[in-house]
Amino acid sequence: MRVERGRAERGALAVFLALLVWAPFPLGSNRGWAWTILEAGIFLSAALWTIGWMQRRNGSLAVVRAAWPAFALLGAWLAYLALQWTPLPAGLVRALSPQAAAVHALAAPYAASSSPGTWITLSIDPNASFVFWLKSCAYAIAFFLTLALANTRPRARLIALVLVLSGLAQAVYGGLMHLSGTDLEIFGAKIPHGSQASGGFVNRNHLAGFLEITLALGIGLMVGSLRETGRRSWRQFWRDMAALLLSPKAPLRLFLVAMVIALVMTRSRMGNTAFFSSLLIAGGVALALSRHATRSTVILIASLIAIDIAIVGTWFGVEKTIQRIEQTTVGDVEEREEPSAYALPMARDYPLFGAGAGTFATTFMRYRGPSIRAFFDHAHNDYTQFFVETGALGTALIGILPLAALVLAILALSRRRDPLARGFAFAVLMGVSSIAIHSTVDFNLQIPANAFAFMVLLAYAWIAYYLEHRKGE
């Protein structure tokens, strides 16, 4: 029996979709006022959904119920982050994190005392950790809303398509600004559009990261739109490909071309390497697990990407990006590795609980070497930053979620016959692999717009595995 959807749930969906488009434009929402708007929007969408749920006017929650292990992980992660900024007895903090207690003692000598009434935090900067916790609450709610709102096939397609269109908007804006050679100062940040495509982000690598996620979903939608018809001749294969290019799916195809062009124009070495590597990884896994799907699906996608490379190489300077990769020197690598290398002593000093989520900029000042003169508010390596800020316990908690998404995506590719479900699984496998590779030298997951999009992508692993194919949808 279907439930007629109420205005509250439709309002929740409208707000959520608007946020997907809005988030990357104000510098990737990586300013206090910008991430406040993003958080407020997510909380508003959740409130509207809750009103609809109380009125019993929302859709099915079958996928949400099936994803209870993911919510358990997110709940444990949020509780852990809250523990970092919650005042605890000084003696307990000294036992759990001696270095944190020592830092508090330097700031306030009385904190060295373990007498009753002395309370300090595991985080050396509880305000920064509280801000990080609020962001994490918003991301966890975004994960829930994706599952709750994408509870039918049309809804799942719609949310994925809007995120793809958000990537397209960034690609068009970033590409046009780059071609015009115009450098701008927006909200106090200088964006060198003339030398690379940056879109709404300050850093070109973060536009590349956002495009990696949206391209993965776009390719997933394309895979999900293909029909599996068993073995076919090459003549039939090329006929089907021509029909695809002339069908209503053609706009999506053009969107992907534009986004690949913009990705190349970012001149992001690891962004482009991660994207094409993840495409090969996802394609290889899909082929290996193609019990129900024909190989023509992956061959078709690979051929289309080959066409992309030819177009981009001819007209949009892919050789400049390749040249930049080839000319990467040991010094370039060391420049990226230095913050992570100097951060290793932080990991030794804060092994279990970390220095506190969001505290890298504060903590790193004590550990950076004489060769580092610039200010680093991030480690340029997501793995290192999560470890030094949240310790081994926190890294394990949050690291299990993308691993679980990868496992579910692989299972969906192996077990499901539904092309749309397989397309979503392909998108998750490709997008998570790409960000995992890119995160070794960058900090995409510290940028609110990218972290938000990444949580939406992760949710599609559960949608791919659990969403039912109802008649008429």
Side-chain angles (χ1 to χ4, degrees), residues 405-440:
L406 285 175
V407 170
L408 271 183
I410 292 172
L411 289 175
L413 282 170
S414 175
R415 298 177 181 177
R416 297 211 63 176
R417 293 177 178 269
D418 181 2
L420 183 62
R422 293 174 60 81
F424 287 150
F426 188 96
V428 172
L429 180 57
M430 181 180 167
V432 173
S433 299
S434 187
I435 293 298
I437 295 169
H438 200 168
S439 289
T440 58

Side-chain angles (χ1 to χ4, degrees), residues 16 33 117 159 193 249 291-292 324 356 419 459:
F16 191 74
W33 60 269
I159 293 175
H193 291 293
K249 305 180 187 73
R291 292 171 52 198
H292 306 303
R324 193 164 181 263

